[in-house]
Amino acid sequence: MKQKSSMGKLDRKYMMAGFLFLLPAVVIYLIFAVIPFFDSFFLSFHEWNGFSARVFIGLDNYINALKDSTFRTAIRNSVYLGVVSSVISVVVGVLMAWMMLYVGNRWGAFFRTILFSPSMIPAVITALIFAFVYEPDIGILNNLLGALGLESLQTAWLTNRATALNCILFVSAWKQVGLTMVLCFAGMQGINLSLVESARLDGASDFQIFRKIILPLVMPFVQLSAIFALMSGLKIYDSVVALTNGGPAKSTTVMPLWILQNSFSFNKYGYGAAMSMIFVLIVLLGMILVKLIVRGDSYEQ
Amino acid sequence: MSNNVFGASKITKFIAYLLLGLYTVVVAYPLLFILFTSLKTNKEFFTNLFGLPTDLQWVNYVNAWNIGKLGQYFGNSAIVTAVSVVVTCLVSLLGGYALAKLRIPHADTVMSAFMVFNFIPGIAIYISLYTMMSRMKLTGSLITMILPYIAWSIPFAMYIIKQYFETVPQELIESGRIDGCNEFQTFLHIMFPLVTPALATIVVFTFINNWGELMWANIATAASATIKTLPVGLLNFKTEMGVEWGQYTAGICMVTIPLMVIFAYFQKYFVAGLTNGAVKG
């Protein structure tokens, strides 16, 4: 143990070394994340085409954004994709994780690897893959419907207003389920088995064990997966660009896409920045709501 | 986890295999379809849409690589990803160690500040960042992607390292100091070898995020075609190359296969990182 008198001096020495070690991370993060964010924040109160001087216009960009019907569609679509894809991925993911408890080890490893694989494929690639599913003539989906004698259901999935958004939703859920499954399965593996055994002795059915023991104990993992799914759903951009580019008639546009187009294609940088601040607020609000809805009290086992 | 402990009934087990089997088909079929298509000629694609390829067309990969310029894009992606992964590891190792062990005041608050920004959607940063970088003359080369990718990977990486170092007993550091090591030597000889599992987690996450990143790459490469990364190149492949199904799907496989390899090696670290509960979505 160190002498008390030397503590202060040594502490300061370690602290200086610490600041030095931390410096690169802080500098890089400030330049490429923090400063641009605050610059966007200030930019959101200005009109700016990217070249001339910025003109301060107060809250005009925000007011225009709320009046912009395409932006409202974009908000609605992003929220829809976020909420519904997280509900689907949680329901299917938890179901698959539960089922995973009942298969043998070797089959379990096989299923787990396959089902998880979409989660690590980049979103743009999963969307390009699904372009082959939705393609009207050569696509897997229409051919499958044809083979089943359901020609009446065939449609041009991505250019039909009624189906385009849900096509994007399916890709996103398809990608997200594996992650939820792996997370919740990891949680289920941590469950104290004596709980299950004693319930079994008391004559509980498989469903009762799931409902009363497994599900409550994996709630923290469910909450975590729901947050992941909601975040990635709200931020969906890649699959929209790859599948519909916001069409038909902007009906599948999402917040990041509309913001990007306004900024970089229409040179309305201030307006884009204001919409991106609204986007930030919606994302933060979503996170808080998930935490409130899916209560994940952790149990000490 | 062995199945007999949960002691399910025969019917439950049957349902389990059935559901998992069905869902496996839903997941695996589109992937296999792409793999098969990447080995067919354009003609066979139309005549034999769903079957196995009869005559394996590896030439599709060669053509996509050379004629479709995917080789160039692959090279760009490889450089961007490799450099950003290595630098992220170095910077976060130092920073995470400092926050965990070097008595920085309010270390947890500093960490939280990094994490808060991590949840901000990228687009709120990109608008200003692009104009900033073009004023700093940082656009038009791979640096345009490398530096921001490093920055955006730091919070999660540093968090993992910090958590990991916190479990290492202080006595180990003290022993190094007593033996006369300076702070950097202590770090290099005593702490670094202990931290490889955390590094593996960071490598797999940073690799997966940066290898497939689209939005910033799309903005950053809009003005100069030579620095396009693989995801951007593939997104525009059909417009630029016409409908060459074999080459196109070969390109999709080129993006996916390195990820599968990385994942196969690092699977357990990936799950460990996820359960640590902080990922940029």
Side-chain angles (χ1 to χ4, degrees), chain A residues 227-245:
Chain A
I227 290 179
F228 285 158
L230 182 75
M231 289 303 105
S232 75
L234 281 175
K235 293 174 185 173
I236 284 178
Y237 160 82
D238 300 26
S239 43
V240 177
V241 173
L243 288 173
T244 65
N245 207 18

PDB file of all heavy atoms in Angstrom, chain A residues 227-245:
ATOM      1  N   ILE A 227     -35.411  -2.197 -27.994  1.00  0.00           N
ATOM      2  CA  ILE A 227     -34.750  -0.909 -28.249  1.00  0.00           C
ATOM      3  C   ILE A 227     -33.920  -0.990 -29.525  1.00  0.00           C
ATOM      4  O   ILE A 227     -33.999  -0.113 -30.388  1.00  0.00           O
ATOM      5  CB  ILE A 227     -33.881  -0.488 -27.047  1.00  0.00           C
ATOM      6  CG1 ILE A 227     -34.793  -0.106 -25.882  1.00  0.00           C
ATOM      7  CG2 ILE A 227     -32.972   0.679 -27.414  1.00  0.00           C
ATOM      8  CD1 ILE A 227     -34.083   0.292 -24.633  1.00  0.00           C
ATOM      9  N   PHE A 228     -33.137  -2.067 -29.658  1.00  0.00           N
ATOM     10  CA  PHE A 228     -32.356  -2.227 -30.893  1.00  0.00           C
ATOM     11  C   PHE A 228     -33.261  -2.179 -32.117  1.00  0.00           C
ATOM     12  O   PHE A 228     -32.977  -1.501 -33.097  1.00  0.00           O
ATOM     13  CB  PHE A 228     -31.613  -3.568 -30.902  1.00  0.00           C
ATOM     14  CG  PHE A 228     -30.415  -3.611 -30.003  1.00  0.00           C
ATOM     15  CD1 PHE A 228     -29.919  -4.818 -29.548  1.00  0.00           C
ATOM     16  CD2 PHE A 228     -29.772  -2.447 -29.623  1.00  0.00           C
ATOM     17  CE1 PHE A 228     -28.811  -4.870 -28.724  1.00  0.00           C
ATOM     18  CE2 PHE A 228     -28.665  -2.482 -28.800  1.00  0.00           C
ATOM     19  CZ  PHE A 228     -28.186  -3.703 -28.341  1.00  0.00           C
ATOM     20  N   ALA A 229     -34.369  -2.951 -32.047  1.00  0.00           N
ATOM     21  CA  ALA A 229     -35.248  -3.053 -33.218  1.00  0.00           C
ATOM     22  C   ALA A 229     -35.907  -1.710 -33.519  1.00  0.00           C
ATOM     23  O   ALA A 229     -35.998  -1.299 -34.673  1.00  0.00           O
ATOM     24  CB  ALA A 229     -36.302  -4.131 -32.983  1.00  0.00           C
ATOM     25  N   LEU A 230     -36.343  -1.016 -32.480  1.00  0.00           N
ATOM     26  CA  LEU A 230     -36.988   0.276 -32.700  1.00  0.00           C
ATOM     27  C   LEU A 230     -36.003   1.287 -33.290  1.00  0.00           C
ATOM     28  O   LEU A 230     -36.319   1.999 -34.243  1.00  0.00           O
ATOM     29  CB  LEU A 230     -37.571   0.819 -31.395  1.00  0.00           C
ATOM     30  CG  LEU A 230     -38.306   2.140 -31.560  1.00  0.00           C
ATOM     31  CD1 LEU A 230     -39.646   1.929 -32.225  1.00  0.00           C
ATOM     32  CD2 LEU A 230     -38.485   2.859 -30.249  1.00  0.00           C
ATOM     33  N   MET A 231     -34.793   1.305 -32.728  1.00  0.00           N
ATOM     34  CA  MET A 231     -33.787   2.236 -33.226  1.00  0.00           C
ATOM     35  C   MET A 231     -33.500   1.963 -34.696  1.00  0.00           C
ATOM     36  O   MET A 231     -33.481   2.871 -35.522  1.00  0.00           O
ATOM     37  CB  MET A 231     -32.474   2.098 -32.435  1.00  0.00           C
ATOM     38  CG  MET A 231     -32.527   2.615 -31.019  1.00  0.00           C
ATOM     39  SD  MET A 231     -33.003   4.341 -30.931  1.00  0.00           S
ATOM     40  CE  MET A 231     -34.672   4.185 -30.365  1.00  0.00           C
ATOM     41  N   SER A 232     -33.263   0.687 -35.022  1.00  0.00           N
ATOM     42  CA  SER A 232     -32.895   0.425 -36.416  1.00  0.00           C
ATOM     43  C   SER A 232     -34.101   0.631 -37.322  1.00  0.00           C
ATOM     44  O   SER A 232     -33.947   1.057 -38.459  1.00  0.00           O
ATOM     45  CB  SER A 232     -32.263  -0.956 -36.569  1.00  0.00           C
ATOM     46  OG  SER A 232     -33.240  -1.939 -36.490  1.00  0.00           O
ATOM     47  N   GLY A 233     -35.316   0.383 -36.816  1.00  0.00           N
ATOM     48  CA  GLY A 233     -36.502   0.615 -37.634  1.00  0.00           C
ATOM     49  C   GLY A 233     -36.737   2.085 -37.919  1.00  0.00           C
ATOM     50  O   GLY A 233     -37.042   2.483 -39.034  1.00  0.00           O
ATOM     51  N   LEU A 234     -36.567   2.927 -36.888  1.00  0.00           N
ATOM     52  CA  LEU A 234     -36.757   4.367 -37.078  1.00  0.00           C
ATOM     53  C   LEU A 234     -35.731   4.949 -38.034  1.00  0.00           C
ATOM     54  O   LEU A 234     -36.004   5.910 -38.736  1.00  0.00           O
ATOM     55  CB  LEU A 234     -36.633   5.087 -35.728  1.00  0.00           C
ATOM     56  CG  LEU A 234     -37.817   5.065 -34.785  1.00  0.00           C
ATOM     57  CD1 LEU A 234     -37.444   5.729 -33.466  1.00  0.00           C
ATOM     58  CD2 LEU A 234     -39.010   5.767 -35.402  1.00  0.00           C
ATOM     59  N   LYS A 235     -34.537   4.338 -38.040  1.00  0.00           N
ATOM     60  CA  LYS A 235     -33.453   4.898 -38.853  1.00  0.00           C
ATOM     61  C   LYS A 235     -33.368   4.252 -40.231  1.00  0.00           C
ATOM     62  O   LYS A 235     -32.411   4.491 -40.962  1.00  0.00           O
ATOM     63  CB  LYS A 235     -32.120   4.713 -38.130  1.00  0.00           C
ATOM     64  CG  LYS A 235     -32.000   5.522 -36.855  1.00  0.00           C
ATOM     65  CD  LYS A 235     -30.714   5.176 -36.134  1.00  0.00           C
ATOM     66  CE  LYS A 235     -30.599   5.873 -34.793  1.00  0.00           C
ATOM     67  NZ  LYS A 235     -29.422   5.402 -34.040  1.00  0.00           N
ATOM     68  N   ILE A 236     -34.347   3.422 -40.601  1.00  0.00           N
ATOM     69  CA  ILE A 236     -34.267   2.719 -41.885  1.00  0.00           C
ATOM     70  C   ILE A 236     -34.057   3.704 -43.029  1.00  0.00           C
ATOM     71  O   ILE A 236     -34.801   4.672 -43.168  1.00  0.00           O
ATOM     72  CB  ILE A 236     -35.553   1.899 -42.146  1.00  0.00           C
ATOM     73  CG1 ILE A 236     -35.534   0.646 -41.294  1.00  0.00           C
ATOM     74  CG2 ILE A 236     -35.660   1.510 -43.625  1.00  0.00           C
ATOM     75  CD1 ILE A 236     -36.778  -0.189 -41.438  1.00  0.00           C
ATOM     76  N   TYR A 237     -33.026   3.438 -43.797  1.00  0.00           N
ATOM     77  CA  TYR A 237     -32.721   4.274 -44.965  1.00  0.00           C
ATOM     78  C   TYR A 237     -32.263   3.362 -46.106  1.00  0.00           C
ATOM     79  O   TYR A 237     -32.798   3.429 -47.212  1.00  0.00           O
ATOM     80  CB  TYR A 237     -31.619   5.276 -44.608  1.00  0.00           C
ATOM     81  CG  TYR A 237     -30.899   5.862 -45.787  1.00  0.00           C
ATOM     82  CD1 TYR A 237     -31.436   6.928 -46.503  1.00  0.00           C
ATOM     83  CD2 TYR A 237     -29.662   5.348 -46.202  1.00  0.00           C
ATOM     84  CE1 TYR A 237     -30.774   7.456 -47.594  1.00  0.00           C
ATOM     85  CE2 TYR A 237     -28.999   5.870 -47.301  1.00  0.00           C
ATOM     86  CZ  TYR A 237     -29.553   6.927 -47.991  1.00  0.00           C
ATOM     87  OH  TYR A 237     -28.898   7.442 -49.077  1.00  0.00           O
ATOM     88  N   ASP A 238     -31.318   2.482 -45.784  1.00  0.00           N
ATOM     89  CA  ASP A 238     -30.679   1.643 -46.799  1.00  0.00           C
ATOM     90  C   ASP A 238     -31.694   0.866 -47.623  1.00  0.00           C
ATOM     91  O   ASP A 238     -31.655   0.878 -48.848  1.00  0.00           O
ATOM     92  CB  ASP A 238     -29.710   0.639 -46.147  1.00  0.00           C
ATOM     93  CG  ASP A 238     -28.604   1.328 -45.377  1.00  0.00           C
ATOM     94  OD1 ASP A 238     -28.813   2.464 -44.933  1.00  0.00           O
ATOM     95  OD2 ASP A 238     -27.534   0.719 -45.222  1.00  0.00           O
ATOM     96  N   SER A 239     -32.627   0.183 -46.957  1.00  0.00           N
ATOM     97  CA  SER A 239     -33.521  -0.689 -47.720  1.00  0.00           C
ATOM     98  C   SER A 239     -34.516   0.128 -48.538  1.00  0.00           C
ATOM     99  O   SER A 239     -34.955  -0.321 -49.583  1.00  0.00           O
ATOM    100  CB  SER A 239     -34.229  -1.688 -46.802  1.00  0.00           C
ATOM    101  OG  SER A 239     -34.665  -1.066 -45.634  1.00  0.00           O
ATOM    102  N   VAL A 240     -34.856   1.331 -48.084  1.00  0.00           N
ATOM    103  CA  VAL A 240     -35.749   2.175 -48.880  1.00  0.00           C
ATOM    104  C   VAL A 240     -35.034   2.634 -50.151  1.00  0.00           C
ATOM    105  O   VAL A 240     -35.583   2.561 -51.251  1.00  0.00           O
ATOM    106  CB  VAL A 240     -36.235   3.389 -48.057  1.00  0.00           C
ATOM    107  CG1 VAL A 240     -37.104   4.288 -48.912  1.00  0.00           C
ATOM    108  CG2 VAL A 240     -36.999   2.920 -46.837  1.00  0.00           C
ATOM    109  N   VAL A 241     -33.783   3.074 -49.996  1.00  0.00           N
ATOM    110  CA  VAL A 241     -33.028   3.508 -51.170  1.00  0.00           C
ATOM    111  C   VAL A 241     -32.880   2.355 -52.159  1.00  0.00           C
ATOM    112  O   VAL A 241     -33.037   2.526 -53.366  1.00  0.00           O
ATOM    113  CB  VAL A 241     -31.630   4.014 -50.754  1.00  0.00           C
ATOM    114  CG1 VAL A 241     -30.781   4.309 -51.979  1.00  0.00           C
ATOM    115  CG2 VAL A 241     -31.764   5.267 -49.924  1.00  0.00           C
ATOM    116  N   ALA A 242     -32.601   1.183 -51.637  1.00  0.00           N
ATOM    117  CA  ALA A 242     -32.327   0.049 -52.519  1.00  0.00           C
ATOM    118  C   ALA A 242     -33.603  -0.504 -53.159  1.00  0.00           C
ATOM    119  O   ALA A 242     -33.557  -1.016 -54.267  1.00  0.00           O
ATOM    120  CB  ALA A 242     -31.610  -1.051 -51.749  1.00  0.00           C
ATOM    121  N   LEU A 243     -34.743  -0.396 -52.488  1.00  0.00           N
ATOM    122  CA  LEU A 243     -35.948  -1.038 -53.016  1.00  0.00           C
ATOM    123  C   LEU A 243     -36.872  -0.074 -53.760  1.00  0.00           C
ATOM    124  O   LEU A 243     -37.339  -0.377 -54.853  1.00  0.00           O
ATOM    125  CB  LEU A 243     -36.723  -1.733 -51.898  1.00  0.00           C
ATOM    126  CG  LEU A 243     -36.090  -3.016 -51.346  1.00  0.00           C
ATOM    127  CD1 LEU A 243     -36.871  -3.516 -50.142  1.00  0.00           C
ATOM    128  CD2 LEU A 243     -36.031  -4.096 -52.415  1.00  0.00           C
ATOM    129  N   THR A 244     -37.190   1.082 -53.171  1.00  0.00           N
ATOM    130  CA  THR A 244     -38.196   1.957 -53.787  1.00  0.00           C
ATOM    131  C   THR A 244     -37.706   3.376 -54.016  1.00  0.00           C
ATOM    132  O   THR A 244     -38.340   4.132 -54.738  1.00  0.00           O
ATOM    133  CB  THR A 244     -39.446   2.065 -52.901  1.00  0.00           C
ATOM    134  OG1 THR A 244     -39.078   2.724 -51.688  1.00  0.00           O
ATOM    135  CG2 THR A 244     -40.029   0.712 -52.595  1.00  0.00           C
ATOM    136  N   ASN A 245     -36.616   3.754 -53.367  1.00  0.00           N
ATOM    137  CA  ASN A 245     -36.135   5.134 -53.367  1.00  0.00           C
ATOM    138  C   ASN A 245     -37.248   6.119 -52.976  1.00  0.00           C
ATOM    139  O   ASN A 245     -37.291   7.249 -53.454  1.00  0.00           O
ATOM    140  CB  ASN A 245     -35.525   5.495 -54.714  1.00  0.00           C
ATOM    141  CG  ASN A 245     -34.486   6.592 -54.568  1.00  0.00           C
ATOM    142  OD1 ASN A 245     -33.999   6.845 -53.470  1.00  0.00           O
ATOM    143  ND2 ASN A 245     -34.166   7.259 -55.661  1.00  0.00           N
TER     144      ASN A 245
END
